[in-house]
Each structure stands twice: as structure tokens, then as C-alpha cells.
Amino acid sequence: MLEKVRYIAVEGPIGAGKTSLAQRLTTYLPAARPIFERPQDNPFLARFYQNTERWALPTQLSFLFQRFDQLAALASEGMGESQYIVSDFMLERDALFAQLTLAPDELVLYEKIFEAMKPPSLPVPDLVIYLQAPVSALAERVHKRGIDSERRINESYLGKVARHYADFFFQYETSPLFVVDAAVLNPVDNEDDFKLLIERLEEMRGHREFFGYAG
């Protein structure tokens, strides 16, 4: 599979390790170009975790415009000298979090803005790597990395995020999907797990595969 793809997106709930894996893939793959989410550039994020209802809409719109800009630039610039594009987000993430956090009237407004602002042509990943992990593991990792803006994230919220991701990818068919059990595999810090991940990606032939020690 790897020799046939150019644009790889790594996805998963908060704390699953998507950015860390995307960074490692960028280092491993030849001439890879990273396109990563920039939560530090969202001025509303810290306030969102303090008061979700008050700050959900501006937080969501700030991320939406950021991702539109990044993907529109990719569409206009093309691959350039890059052999691979590696991203730690999909545009569909925005709708997922909007449905999770916005009030019904705010969601209607968000969807209107989305349709009005969406660039006419956006790149679609050739491969999506989806990291799964139980809520307890997600919470432990979020706590361990100690990011100030995330200190108020609790297991209840993480559980809702994880369920929305599971529901979304259960019916996802747009791109080939490689599901990783990130609870038992650590391709970021474990060299053997990373090598095994690369081997399985190279051998992938189906449209959807699961990667775990028993998979």
C-alpha cells in the first residue's frame, strides 16, 4: 500500500497519539511533507475547556478556517518536491467535533459557514490511519503530556469523543482505512511496533484492515 499512496492522514481521539505517529512517519518516509494541526494558534481553545458551551462555536470555527487554509494551500501548491504528505487531521474531524460540542442552532450556523467557505477542490487522503484506545488510556496520556489547555479534559468528554470517532469510522468508506489498536501497540516509542506497522502498511491490500497483536 505505501508505494501507491501519496497523502496519508493519521486520525484518532484526543490522546491517541496521532500527532506523534504522524511526526514519526514524516521522519521515516522519503521527502515527506508534514501538514499538522496547530492548536497553539487557536486563541479560544483554553477557554473552550474551561467553558465548553460558551466557547464551542468560536473554537470550532477557528479550527475550521485553519484547516481550510492548510488544505487549500496543499491543493493549489501540489506535492512540490515531496513524495509523501503526512497530516495529523482530516477535514471531517471538524464536523465530528461540531456535532459533539455545538448547540443545535449553532450547528446549523456552523454548517452554513462550512458550505459557504469550503474551497471548491480539497485533497482527499490516499490512506487514513485511525488510532483506537480505551478512554482510560486516552485520559492517562492526556494527563501525562501536561498541556495547560487540556488540564480540564475529563474522561466523560474523552468518552464522547472516542464514541463519535468509532461511529464515524465504522461507516467510513472514502479512503483505505488502517485501524491501529493503540492500547496494546506503541509505534511511536517502540521500535519493533513501528517496524511492524510499516510492514503491515506495505502489505495492506484491502480497503479496511485492523492492526493489533492478534490482528
Side-chain angles (χ1 to χ4, degrees):
M1 174 65 76
L2 277 183
E3 70 276 7
K4 298 179 181 179
V5 307
R6 302 182 78 193
Y7 175 19
I8 301 171
V10 184
E11 263 291 4
I14 304 165
K18 54 187 173 291
T19 300
S20 297
L21 179 58
Q23 289 171 337
R24 178 140 199 201
L25 286 171
T26 301
T27 301
Y28 173 81
L29 296 170
R33 172 183 172 186
I35 301 179
F36 291 167
E37 186 179 63
R38 301 191 302 270
Q40 69 277 9
D41 293 345
N42 189 325
F44 306 103
L45 186 58
R47 283 173 281 181
F48 166 77
Y49 287 128
Q50 293 174 353
N51 188 335
T52 301
E53 292 184 3
R54 168 66 180 85
W55 297 104
L57 183 58
T59 301
Q60 199 61 48
L61 290 176
S62 181
F63 274 129
L64 178 64
F65 293 141
Q66 180 188 122
R67 292 169 187 149
F68 273 165
D69 289 344
Q70 290 174 292
L71 294 176
L74 175 60
S76 63
E77 296 169 7
M79 294 290 291
E81 298 299 322
S82 302
Q83 183 173 339
Y84 292 95
I85 297 291
V86 180
S87 175
D88 66 348
F89 69 89
M90 299 164 57
L91 184 59
E92 290 87 344
R93 179 193 299 182
D94 274 84
L96 186 154
F97 274 92
Q99 294 164 9
L100 175 66
T101 62
L102 299 183
D105 55 347
E106 291 178 332
L107 182 59
V108 171
L109 176 60
Y110 165 86
E111 290 172 344
K112 289 180 178 179
I113 295 173
F114 183 100
E115 290 302 323
M117 300 296 295
K118 183 172 64 174
S121 178
L122 290 173
V124 176
D126 301 307
L127 172 67
V128 175
I129 301 174
Y130 164 42
L131 305 181
Q132 288 182 326
V135 174
S136 58
L138 298 175
E140 180 180 351
R141 292 170 186 176
V142 169
H143 176 74
K144 183 178 180 180
R145 64 192 186 190
I147 299 175
D148 286 341
S149 63
E150 297 180 344
R151 293 188 184 281
R152 291 179 179 264
I153 297 178
N154 56 42
E155 289 199 13
S156 176
Y157 178 71
L158 287 173
K160 293 177 183 178
V161 172
R163 286 193 296 272
H164 271 66
Y165 266 98
D167 291 343
F168 172 77
F169 279 113
F170 179 77
Q171 54 188 344
Y172 181 78
E173 296 290 343
T174 305
S175 306
L177 181 64
F178 191 75
V179 184
V180 178
D181 183 352
V184 298
L185 290 157
N186 185 358
V188 174
D189 300 315
N190 187 302
E191 185 65 26
D192 289 338
D193 285 353
F194 182 74
K195 289 179 179 178
L196 189 58
L197 171 76
I198 296 299
E199 290 176 6
R200 289 288 297 270
L201 287 173
E202 290 174 341
E203 296 170 357
M204 184 179 176
R205 296 294 180 266
H207 196 75
R208 177 185 293 253
E209 292 191 14
F210 177 81
F211 176 44
Y213 281 132

